[in-house]
């Protein structure tokens, strides 16, 4: 059983992918070739924003976004500790300080109610993460940010394709950043990412940052990075984007089926925990999820993982240690994030991709139910 099945997807698009790659090999423009601009236009249209800037990874997208906003040494950026390290890593690499606030216990996304108390005179941005495939409460986050004239950078590495109150992830804030790492909902065949914005000036600055700070050849008005999106990856993403709406629909349907099957066995939800000790994810009203991960909470994660492994069912943990407890970021006496700490001990992710069959899902649910002592 595959945790994420890219082979089945490739079988579906093989001829188109090969044709697009052959076109790149024929024209030979491997850096910033025509496919890059074409993909940017297609992605901007999909998200519903004016500008998309392709980048070499989702991590570089976060870095470029903060560089375009001129965030640097001595500044502070508020974010969540319950995420992959890249979120805070890029803040720190710029010399700024990540300020961690706790998460909402239902969605696992940043708690907007905790933001106000974390803002100081040094706060230069708020960076919510749209975790596991659904957007953070962006209206609430944006309202706090606007009250303090602070930009918002959505880390949408896991939520590309999801919607929030009818708008797509990446089009909900000052700058939206996403990753096209192969395992993401929309994935390349290597590292890739993008930034999205409706601000033409920010888009110009992002394009300069990604290309060594150049405004024109050998003219560098700012510091930048080598963050260009490869033409080959852009071509692959064009092929995948054509089937992406269908895959988004499948992800939503399959995530809902997992939850339905598990609740039929007595599992609760993060919104309504019940007494089983097994909690399925909750999608907030107004949200859709692309289920980048389908993540449960269980009482004895190690035992559940071992039981599923014995039946050749892969699992993963996203994420076992909150970032404010990682050695590189831990500050004795800093504000605690108890929800993040508790959730990090209980979460476990099940196989999830658009090509799961109902038979496989039932097999996974049966194994979870047996391992957790669920009814029926």
């Amino acid at each position: 059983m595959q945790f994420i099945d890219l082979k089945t997807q490739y079988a579906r698009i093989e001829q188109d992918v090969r044709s697009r790659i052959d076109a790149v090999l024929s024209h030979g423009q491997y850096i910033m070739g025509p496919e890059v601009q074409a993909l940017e236009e297609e992605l901007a249209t999909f998200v519903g924003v004016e500008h998309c800037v392709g980048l070499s990874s989702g991590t570089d997208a976060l870095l470029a976004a903060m560089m375009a906003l001129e965030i640097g040494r001595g500044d502070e950026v508020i974010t969540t500790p319950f995420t992959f390290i890249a979120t805070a890593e890029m803040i720190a690499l710029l010399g700024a300080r990540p300020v961690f606030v706790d998460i909402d216990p239902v969605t696992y996304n940043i708690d907007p109610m905790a933001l106000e108390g974390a803002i100081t005179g040094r706060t230069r941005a708020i960076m919510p993460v749209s975790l596991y495939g659904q957007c953070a409460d962006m209206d609430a986050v944006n309202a706090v940010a606007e009250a303090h004239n602070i930009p918002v950078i959505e880390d949408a590495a896991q939520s590309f394709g999801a919607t929030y109150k009818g708008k797509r992830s990446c089009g909900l804030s000052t700058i939206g950043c996403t990753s096209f790492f192969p395992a993401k909902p929309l994935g390349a065949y290597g590292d890739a990412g993008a930034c999205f914005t409706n601000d033409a000036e920010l888009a110009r600055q992002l394009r300069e940052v990604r290309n060594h700070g150049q405004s024109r050849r050998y003219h560098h008005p700012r510091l930048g990075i080598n963050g260009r999106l490869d033409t080959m990856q852009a071509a692959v993403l064009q092929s995948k984007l054509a089937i992406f709406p269908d895959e988004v629909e499948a992800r939503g349907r399959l995530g809902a089926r997992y939850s339905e099957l598990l609740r039929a066995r007595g599992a609760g939800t993060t919104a309504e925990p019940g007494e089983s000790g097994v909690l399925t994810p909750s999608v907030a009203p107004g949200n859709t999820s692309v289920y980048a991960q389908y993540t449960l909470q269980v009482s004895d994660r190690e035992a559940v993982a071992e039981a599923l492994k014995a039946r050749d069912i892969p699992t993963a943990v996203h994420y076992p240690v909150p970032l404010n407890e990682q050695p590189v970021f831990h500050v004795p006496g800093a504000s605690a994030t108890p929800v993040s700490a508790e959730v990090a001990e209980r979460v476990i992710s099940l196989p999830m991709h658009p090509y799961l069959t109902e038979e496989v899902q039932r097999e996974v649910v049966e194994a979870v139910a047996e391992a957790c002592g669920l009814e029926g």
Side-chain angles (χ1 to χ4, degrees):
M1 187 183 299
Q2 299 292 314
F3 188 74
I4 297 173
D5 184 358
L6 297 177
K7 294 180 180 179
T8 299
Q9 182 197 57
Y10 179 61
R12 178 181 179 183
I13 59 176
E14 179 178 0
Q15 293 307 313
D16 189 61
V17 169
R18 286 182 177 275
S19 175
R20 291 179 185 274
I21 290 176
D22 283 347
V24 175
L25 293 172
S26 294
H27 67 55
Q29 298 176 56
Y30 301 118
I31 303 297
M32 300 302 293
E35 287 80 1
V36 174
Q37 182 176 346
L39 175 68
E40 289 174 339
E41 292 172 357
E42 292 168 20
L43 289 171
T45 298
F46 178 83
V47 171
V49 297
E50 292 295 323
H51 308 281
C52 170
V53 179
L55 285 126
S56 51
S57 70
T59 302
D60 283 341
L62 295 174
L63 181 64
M66 287 185 285
M67 291 177 73
L69 292 168
E70 299 184 347
I71 293 169
R73 191 164 304 280
D75 294 333
E76 295 177 351
V77 177
I78 299 172
T79 192
T80 165
F82 194 56
T83 180
F84 184 58
I85 195 169
T87 307
E89 183 180 37
M90 293 301 98
I91 298 170
L93 279 175
L94 287 173
R97 183 172 78 92
V99 176
F100 298 109
V101 302
D102 214 349
I103 59 172
D104 176 86
V106 174
T107 66
Y108 309 122
N109 288 322
I110 200 166
D111 181 359
M113 300 298 292
L115 293 174
E116 193 76 44
I119 293 174
T120 73
R122 293 187 174 185
T123 305
R124 292 293 311 282
I126 300 173
M127 189 182 290
V129 177
S130 295
L131 198 71
Y132 294 159
Q134 74 168 315
C135 298
D137 188 352
M138 296 301 293
D139 280 357
V141 172
N142 286 334
V144 174
E146 288 170 11
H148 294 270
N149 196 29
I150 300 168
V152 175
I153 303 168
E154 183 194 7
D155 181 342
Q158 297 181 17
S159 60
F160 192 77
T163 60
Y164 173 84
K165 299 182 180 180
K167 296 181 179 180
R168 290 201 187 275
S169 180
C170 286
L172 306 171
S173 62
T174 313
I175 302 175
C177 301
T178 199
S179 168
F180 300 127
F181 182 78
K184 301 300 183 186
L186 178 63
Y189 288 156
D191 280 314
C195 289
F196 298 81
T197 185
N198 283 312
D199 187 317
E201 177 61 17
L202 276 179
R204 181 187 66 79
Q205 293 169 357
L206 286 164
R207 295 184 194 282
E208 290 178 1
V209 167
R210 76 169 172 188
N211 192 21
H212 300 286
Q214 288 190 135
S215 60
R216 61 181 186 272
R217 190 167 177 82
Y218 297 131
H219 182 75
H220 305 264
R222 65 176 66 245
L223 288 176
I225 60 174
N226 180 4
R228 299 173 299 238
L229 172 63
D230 285 349
T231 307
M232 201 76 78
Q233 299 302 339
V236 170
L237 286 165
Q238 282 186 290
S239 185
K240 289 196 175 190
L241 186 60
I243 64 168
F244 188 56
D246 179 53
E247 292 187 337
V248 167
E249 186 279 329
R251 284 178 172 276
R253 173 169 39 83
L254 294 168
R257 181 190 290 160
Y258 257 145
S259 294
E260 180 182 348
L261 292 171
L262 284 159
R263 291 169 195 166
R265 302 298 294 265
T269 74
T270 49
E272 299 178 355
E275 299 178 356
S276 68
V278 178
L279 304 181
T280 63
S282 296
V283 179
N287 276 2
T288 63
S289 177
V290 289
Y291 291 99
Q293 289 85 28
Y294 185 88
T295 303
L296 302 176
Q297 287 191 50
V298 297
S299 299
D300 189 344
R301 179 170 63 205
E302 185 174 348
V304 173
E306 286 299 317
L308 268 61
K309 182 179 179 181
R311 296 175 65 157
D312 293 324
I313 298 173
T315 59
V317 178
H318 308 94
Y319 298 93
V321 182
L323 297 187
N324 55 335
E325 296 179 13
Q326 292 283 357
V328 68
F329 291 125
H330 180 64
V331 177
S335 297
T337 55
V339 179
S340 298
E342 179 180 357
V343 168
E345 294 181 352
R346 292 174 48 87
V347 289
I348 186 169
S349 298
L350 304 180
M352 183 64 203
H353 55 82
Y355 302 96
L356 278 175
T357 64
E358 183 173 354
E359 179 183 6
V360 168
Q361 286 192 288
R362 289 185 179 277
E363 179 183 351
V364 173
V365 168
E366 178 64 31
V368 171
E370 183 178 312
C372 297
L374 295 178
E375 299 175 359

